[in-house]
Amino acid sequence: MLFFTQCFGAVLDLIHLRFQHYKAKRVFSAAGQLVCVVNPTHSLKYAPTRCAAAQTSTEQGVLPPCHHHEAVHDPQLVPCTCPLFSCPWEGHLEVVVSHLRQNHRINILQGAEIVFLATDMHLPAPTDWIIMHSCLGHQFLLVLRKQEKYEGHPQFFATMMLIGTPTQADNFTYRLELNRNQRRLKWEATPRSVLECVDSVISDGDCLVLNTSLAQLFSDNGSLAIGIAITTSKVHNTEAEM
């Protein structure tokens, strides 16, 4: 009976994922779009990270303590860019993608336009939904976070980070689109580099921000479908604004 129950539960989970996939395809019917069903992960890192500690110390006018071993660090090494964990890993920018995939099991999709389907939006904050998006010869990190910026008032923050330098990030434009029940909401901006802190981007509000009531307008049975499109800045500048 235990074996049967476990197998039956797995089948139900598979049917649920297929149903979520079908709903996303129904909402975003553009040909060629890929749908990625992303399950939530409760962030394990909401203790002060190196990035957050440095930002707080700077705001207070105090530089972080300089330990003797830090002086010999290779300046080309970057810390782990995964916003979910306080990961001590450091490495070169070229191996960040392999680290995220192997150590943090973050999925990657390819294509200029994809659909990011975040499930279980009702879960309490803080919660993150994360995927990597590969297109135009580069890799991007999409982060959707549910977080209480003000106590008792959770909000959703969505941003796109280029796994590259700020100079490279300036060459691209990303668009996030919500479309449901004859309502459409778009956010368009230049992606930030993963060399910057995701926490800082969210704190500054330089991203798509949804309050709970607005997120519910675009959600379907607790899932939120976000259409993602990435273009180069040159192509974007020549397009007619709608």
Side-chain angles (χ1 to χ4, degrees):
M1 287 295 295
L2 178 62
F3 176 77
F4 175 79
T5 302
Q6 290 177 340
C7 290
F8 186 68
V11 171
L12 286 180
D13 289 342
L14 180 60
I15 293 174
H16 175 70
L17 288 177
R18 293 293 298 175
F19 180 64
Q20 296 283 6
H21 184 279
Y22 167 76
K23 288 194 301 182
K25 293 295 283 184
R26 183 186 61 193
V27 174
F28 292 86
S29 57
Q33 283 188 314
L34 298 175
V35 177
C36 182
V37 178
V38 185
N39 294 319
T41 303
H42 284 286
S43 179
L44 304 178
K45 90 158 193 169
Y46 283 94
T49 60
R50 286 172 298 177
C51 174
Q55 182 181 1
T56 302
S57 300
T58 303
E59 291 173 352
Q60 296 175 350
V62 180
L63 292 177
C66 180
H67 298 290
H68 190 66
H69 67 277
E70 291 179 350
V72 297
H73 277 185
D74 186 341
Q76 294 182 343
L77 295 180
V78 297
C80 175
T81 57
C82 183
L84 289 174
F85 306 98
S86 294
C87 178
W89 179 88
E90 286 186 334
H92 290 277
L93 198 56
E94 294 79 10
V95 294
V96 168
V97 173
S98 60
H99 169 74
L100 293 176
R101 296 197 68 182
Q102 295 173 11
N103 292 72
H104 299 301
R105 307 298 181 185
I106 296 180
N107 294 326
I108 186 168
L109 282 184
Q110 296 187 1
E113 296 187 10
I114 64 173
V115 176
F116 177 95
L117 184 65
T119 65
D120 299 322
M121 303 294 295
H122 61 279
L123 290 178
T127 304
D128 289 311
W129 295 260
I130 300 176
I131 61 166
M132 283 191 291
H133 182 186
S134 177
C135 72
L136 301 175
H138 289 77
Q139 284 74 41
F140 301 82
L141 191 69
L142 178 69
V143 179
L144 173 65
R145 176 174 297 170
K146 184 178 184 180
Q147 180 175 316
E148 289 189 357
K149 198 166 185 180
Y150 305 102
E151 187 175 356
H153 298 280
Q155 294 177 300
F156 294 90
F157 304 85
T159 187
M160 183 75 77
M161 312 285 286
L162 172 72
I163 302 179
T165 65
T167 301
Q168 291 174 321
D170 288 339
N171 295 324
F172 298 96
T173 298
Y174 75 94
R175 185 180 73 246
L176 305 179
E177 180 178 337
L178 305 176
N179 190 347
R180 185 173 182 268
N181 290 340
Q182 298 181 343
R183 298 180 180 89
R184 178 173 296 181
L185 180 64
K186 290 184 181 181
W187 166 267
E188 192 169 278
T190 299
R192 304 280 282 271
S193 166
V194 293
L195 298 179
E196 306 175 59
C197 292
V198 175
D199 295 341
S200 299
V201 176
I202 291 176
S203 298
D204 295 341
D206 186 16
C207 55
L208 174 64
V209 182
L210 304 172
N211 58 31
T212 304
S213 59
L214 190 58
Q216 288 176 348
L217 283 177
F218 289 98
S219 65
D220 183 9
N221 256 352
S223 296
L224 188 67
I226 305 177
I228 307 169
I230 300 178
T231 58
T232 60
S233 296
K234 292 181 180 179
V235 173
H236 170 70
N237 290 335
T238 59
E239 290 180 348
E241 294 294 332
M242 298 300 294

